[in-house]
């Protein structure tokens, strides 16, 4: 969770997204730069459209601008969701709350990064492969919906029960609205919820990186000073917990 939350920083300032009504419902169409500017006002009327890196005008990997916008939109929503989970998880884990079964019951630290280091490699790989499965599932579009770079819905993940024959066994509750609470929600309520999700995701990306920064460099986030336990490991090397970096030296040509 912490590793995934940390990786969200790279897209935390992606250009604002297209209008929710165009994303989640209605005819399939590609989103444009004007759509980004329209939604920016709904997301934050004070800031408006702010894209200093001109990502909303880019064309990545020989794709069109509209396809690039779809990729950026999906990436921002996805990383925002991961960051929201990571932010809450960091707080929960920092308060010593953990699963009561192995291998989690053997964890002794209340520092989330150190808790990750204390997990055996097999457990780490299970977590990473679980995240990889969700990534794969969101890309293959087993229910026939268009890809987010081809006019589909950015952030959309097919329901696990949409095509049960595609999975070897029952996975569990669907990621979106598993208890069907939003099934009868109005279009206005759904649109408001999408705006809230985007704003909360952006804030969570800043929040989780604030936690990690304060843990790694105590005092770097003054508001968190004394609230986050220091961490001397390497947050960007999830499997390098036993390496003594002080003994390493760069040898040209080695």
């Amino acid at each position: 969770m912490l590793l995934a939350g940390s990786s969200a920083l790279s897209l935390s300032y992606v250009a604002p997204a297209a209008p929710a009504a165009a994303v989640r419902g209605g005819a399939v169409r590609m989103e444009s730069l004007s759509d980004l500017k329209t939604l920016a006002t709904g997301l934050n009327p004070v800031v408006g459209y702010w894209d200093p890196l001109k990502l909303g005008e880019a064309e990545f990997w020989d794709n069109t601008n509209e396809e690039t916008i779809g990729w950026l939109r999906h990436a921002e929503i996805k990383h925002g969701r991961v960051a929201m989970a990571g932010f809450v998880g960091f707080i929960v884990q920092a308060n010593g709350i953990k699963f009561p079964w192995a291998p989690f019951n053997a964890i002794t630290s209340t520092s989330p990064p150190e808790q990750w280091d204390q997990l055996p490699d097999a457990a780490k790989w299970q977590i990473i492969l679980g995240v990889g499965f969700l990534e794969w599932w969101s890309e293959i579009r087993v229910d026939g919906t268009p890809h987010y770079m081809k006019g589909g819905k950015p952030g959309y993940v097919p329901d696990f029960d949409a095509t049960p024959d595609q999975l070897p066994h029952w996975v569990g509750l669907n990621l979106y609205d598993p208890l069907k609470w939003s099934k009868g929600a109005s279009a206005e309520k759904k649109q408001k919820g999408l705006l809230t999700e985007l704003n909360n995701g952006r804030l969570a990306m800043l929040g989780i990186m604030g936690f990690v920064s304060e843990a790694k460099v105590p005092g770097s986030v003054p508001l968190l000073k004394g609230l986050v336990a220091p961490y001397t490991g390497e947050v960007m090397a999830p499997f390098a917990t036993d390496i003594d970096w002080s003994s390493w030296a760069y040898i040209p040509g080695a």
Side-chain angles (χ1 to χ4, degrees), residues 52-63:
L53 298 181
K54 305 297 182 183
L55 294 179
E57 302 173 20
E59 296 181 356
F60 293 169
W61 310 298
D62 296 325
N63 291 301

Side-chain angles (χ1 to χ4, degrees), residues 214 218-227:
E214 176 62 26
S220 60
V221 185
L223 292 178
L224 297 177
K225 187 175 182 179
L227 299 177

Side-chain angles (χ1 to χ4, degrees), residues 3-228:
L3 175 65
S6 300
S7 67
L9 179 64
S10 61
L11 289 170
S12 60
Y13 291 101
V14 169
V23 174
R24 297 292 184 180
V28 173
R29 69 178 184 84
M30 301 296 289
E31 300 171 21
S32 66
L33 180 61
S34 62
D35 291 322
L36 300 184
K37 294 180 179 180
T38 298
L39 189 60
T41 302
L43 289 168
N44 191 320
V46 177
V47 176
Y49 183 74
W50 187 71
D51 182 18
L53 298 181
K54 305 297 182 183
L55 294 179
E57 302 173 20
E59 296 181 356
F60 293 169
W61 310 298
D62 296 325
N63 291 301
T64 66
N65 176 244
E66 289 78 10
E67 291 170 337
T68 301
I69 288 174
W71 186 86
L72 292 170
R73 286 276 290 112
H74 186 80
E76 180 182 33
I77 294 172
K78 176 175 62 178
H79 284 77
R81 290 170 178 167
V82 170
M84 285 188 279
F87 182 84
V88 174
F90 195 105
I91 295 174
V92 170
Q93 292 169 223
N95 282 276
I97 302 173
K98 58 186 178 182
F99 294 123
W101 54 80
F104 306 100
N105 59 353
I107 293 175
T108 58
S109 175
T110 57
S111 167
E114 288 183 2
Q115 291 173 349
W116 170 268
D117 291 346
Q118 291 179 7
L119 287 175
D121 284 355
K124 294 177 181 178
W125 277 116
Q126 288 181 50
I127 295 171
I128 291 175
L129 290 175
V131 174
F133 163 75
L134 296 178
E135 182 76 7
W136 168 78
W137 185 256
S138 70
E139 290 287 335
I140 62 174
R141 291 297 194 268
V142 294
D143 57 357
T145 55
H147 192 267
Y148 52 82
M149 293 179 69
K150 301 298 180 183
K153 306 172 184 177
Y156 173 73
V157 178
D159 289 342
F160 294 134
D161 55 10
T163 53
D165 57 316
Q166 298 287 335
L167 297 172
H169 58 78
W170 184 74
V171 173
L173 298 174
N174 293 318
L175 292 177
Y176 172 71
D177 194 21
L179 301 180
K180 309 298 182 183
W181 287 344
S182 301
K183 186 176 182 179
S186 64
E188 293 75 14
K189 184 176 181 180
K190 290 181 179 180
Q191 181 171 340
K192 182 179 180 181
L194 289 169
L195 294 176
T196 301
E197 179 185 39
L198 277 170
N199 280 328
N200 287 348
R202 292 175 178 180
L203 184 61
M205 284 188 267
L206 294 174
I208 188 64
M209 289 310 299
F211 284 156
V212 174
S213 299
E214 176 62 26
K216 187 63 179 176
V217 185
S220 60
V221 185
L223 292 178
L224 297 177
K225 187 175 182 179
L227 299 177
V228 176

